[in-house]
Amino acid sequence: MSAPSFSLVGLGPIINRWKYFVAGAVVLAAVVSVVVALLLPNVYRSTAVFIPTNPQTADPDRLLEDNALTRGKLELASRAEDLDRVITIGESQPVAELIIKKFDLYKHYEAGPPGDDATDNFVLSEFSSNFNIVRNERDAIELAFSDEDKNLAAEVANAIVQVIDSVNQQLTLDNRRTVLELYKQRYDYLSISFERSRRELVGARRRYGIYGLEMQGRYMAKEIIETEAALRKAEGGGGDVAGLRRALRGLTRTDGGNLINLESYVQGTDSLNMFTSRVTDLQNRLITARSAFENAELSIKGRISSLYLVQKAYPATRKFKPVRTLIVLGSVLATFALSVVLIALLELYRHNRLGAARPA
C-alpha cells in the first residue's frame, strides 16, 4: 500500500481539524510579540552627507603653481579612489576606538570598564552594528549612526566625520611637510648666496673705484678730454705741462694715484656687470622663493579641509527602529506557518501509524 500524499489543497481540512490549536498559537504569538515590541526602546538614526576632495589639491607644490588661483584650490568632483579611501578610513578600527573613547561608550552600552577582551569586543561590535558608511548613487558619502539617544547619535556622526577628515589630511601631511622643508632650504640657500654676492659686488666697487657705471664713465670721459685738451694747449703755449701730464696719468692709469681712473674702470666693468647681474638674478629668485615658502607655510598651517560637508548630522525627529507593526505581523505569520507545518507532520505521522497497523 502506497503512502498517502499531501497537497496544499489537502491542508484545508487539516487546518480545520486543528483550528483551535492554530488559532491559540497565533493569538499567543500576537500577544507576546505586541508585548515585546512595546518593550523595545526606540532607536534613532542621524545621517551626515559629505563629498571627499582630492587631497593633492591642498599640497603646497600644487597651491604654488602659476595657475593655481584660476584653477581653484579644491576639486569637488570626487574620484572613485577618494570615495573608497574615505570609506576605508571610516570603517577602520582606530577611528572606532577613538570615538568609543571620546564618548565613553563603554559606560553608555553598560559593558563595564575597558581592558577586558570580551568587553572590548562587545563594545566594538555594538558600535559597528550602529554605524554605517556607504557611497550613494550620487557619488557622495552617507555616514549614519544609530542610538537610543538621538542627540548622542548626531554628535557621534559629526565626530566621525571630523575624525575622517583629520586622518585623510594626515595621509598627505608628511609629504606637505617635506615640500615645506624643501622650500625653506631653497630660501635659506638663496639668502646666503644673495648676501655673499652682494658683499662681493660692494668689494668689487671699492677695489675698482666704480660706484656708478654710466655716470662715472661720463665723468671720466669728460675729465680726460678736458685734461688732454688743456695739456695740448699748455704744450703749445708754455703752461703747466708737467702738472697736466700728472693729472692725465692719474685719470688714465692705476698707478697715477687717483681712486677713480680709466684703467681700473675698464678692468672692473666686466666684473661689476657680472656681479650686478648675479645679484639681480639672486634677488628676484629670493623674492620668489620667499613668497613660495610663505604660501606653503600658510597652506600647511591652514589645514584645509579634505571634505565638503553637504549636510551635517542632526538629531532625528522620527525613530529609525523598531517597526512594531512588522514585528507583530512577522511573528503572527511565522507562528501560523510553523503551526501548519507542525500539524501537517503530526497528520503524516498518524497516517503512517494507521497504515502500518492495518493487516495486509
Side-chain angles (χ1 to χ4, degrees):
M1 182 176 181
S2 61
S5 60
F6 291 91
S7 64
L8 294 177
V9 178
L11 287 176
I14 297 176
I15 295 175
N16 187 55
R17 285 196 297 271
W18 293 82
K19 58 185 176 182
Y20 296 108
F21 171 78
V22 173
V26 169
V27 171
L28 179 61
V31 173
V32 172
S33 61
V34 168
V35 174
V36 172
L38 293 176
L39 292 177
L40 290 175
N42 292 335
V43 176
Y44 300 91
R45 167 173 282 191
S46 293
T47 303
V49 181
F50 59 89
I51 300 173
T53 60
N54 182 357
Q56 294 179 356
T57 59
D59 278 350
D61 53 347
R62 179 158 179 144
L63 287 175
L64 300 174
E65 294 177 4
D66 293 337
N67 61 341
L69 294 176
T70 58
R71 186 186 56 251
K73 299 297 188 296
L74 295 177
E75 296 177 358
L76 298 183
S78 298
R79 305 174 302 172
E81 53 265 36
D82 297 326
L83 297 169
D84 293 339
R85 181 180 63 256
V86 167
I87 292 176
T88 302
I89 293 172
E91 293 177 341
S92 64
Q93 185 170 340
V95 172
E97 292 177 348
L98 185 62
I99 297 299
I100 289 172
K101 182 179 180 180
K102 179 177 181 180
F103 291 93
D104 195 11
L105 295 184
Y106 283 90
K107 181 179 180 180
H108 181 69
Y109 292 145
E110 299 179 353
D116 181 69
D117 290 343
T119 303
D120 294 343
N121 290 332
F122 170 77
V123 174
L124 188 60
S125 176
E126 283 291 315
F127 175 85
S128 299
S129 64
N130 292 323
F131 172 64
N132 186 46
I133 180 171
V134 295
R135 169 183 178 179
N136 64 19
E137 65 278 2
R138 295 180 179 85
D139 287 338
I141 300 296
E142 293 185 2
L143 187 151
F145 191 78
S146 304
D147 196 82
E148 298 175 14
D149 186 343
K150 58 184 178 182
N151 294 316
L152 178 64
E155 292 176 4
V156 171
N158 290 324
I160 296 175
V161 173
Q162 294 176 1
V163 172
I164 291 176
D165 185 20
S166 178
V167 174
N168 198 32
Q169 292 182 50
Q170 288 291 333
L171 296 178
T172 58
L173 187 59
D174 291 339
N175 178 60
R176 295 167 67 185
R177 285 174 175 165
T178 302
V179 172
L180 179 63
E181 182 62 26
L182 290 176
Y183 280 123
K184 187 177 184 303
Q185 292 177 5
R186 180 187 178 193
Y187 171 69
D188 292 341
Y189 169 76
L190 290 175
S191 297
I192 296 173
S193 298
F194 172 75
E195 185 61 27
R196 182 173 60 248
S197 297
R198 190 186 66 82
R199 288 197 301 266
E200 290 175 350
L201 175 60
V202 173
R205 289 183 184 277
R206 291 174 179 174
R207 183 167 60 253
Y208 295 110
I210 301 177
Y211 299 96
L213 289 175
E214 184 176 357
M215 294 184 62
Q216 195 165 338
R218 291 178 180 177
Y219 165 78
M220 281 193 300
K222 178 176 177 295
E223 291 295 321
I224 291 174
I225 293 173
E226 291 178 352
T227 304
E228 189 172 6
L231 176 61
R232 297 292 177 262
K233 185 177 180 180
E235 288 176 343
D240 187 8
V241 176
L244 290 173
R245 286 176 188 256
R246 288 194 300 271
L248 182 62
R249 182 181 180 87
L251 288 171
T252 57
R253 298 180 60 85
T254 306
D255 56 2
N258 286 5
L259 177 63
I260 301 176
N261 58 82
L262 181 61
E263 186 175 356
S264 295
Y265 179 82
V266 173
Q267 292 177 355
T269 299
D270 293 338
S271 297
L272 287 177
N273 285 332
M274 181 187 67
F275 283 126
T276 302
S277 299
R278 173 67 173 166
V279 169
T280 302
D281 177 65
L282 285 173
Q283 185 179 28
N284 293 332
R285 291 167 60 190
L286 180 62
I287 293 173
T288 302
R290 181 178 180 83
S291 176
F293 172 71
E294 290 176 348
N295 289 337
E297 187 176 32
L298 179 62
S299 169
I300 196 172
K301 289 182 177 180
R303 299 296 295 273
I304 300 175
S305 175
S306 64
L307 305 178
Y308 180 78
L309 188 61
V310 179
Q311 170 191 304
K312 66 178 297 186
Y314 295 98
T317 56
R318 298 178 59 183
K319 64 182 177 66
F320 170 67
K321 61 181 182 180
V323 184
R324 293 182 172 87
T325 302
L326 291 180
I327 292 176
V328 174
L329 183 60
S331 299
V332 169
L333 293 177
T335 301
F336 176 76
L338 290 175
S339 300
V340 171
V341 172
L342 179 60
I343 61 178
L345 291 175
L346 290 175
E347 286 290 330
L348 180 61
Y349 176 72
R350 188 177 69 175
H351 276 282
N352 289 337
R353 288 194 61 186
L354 292 176
R358 291 177 182 175

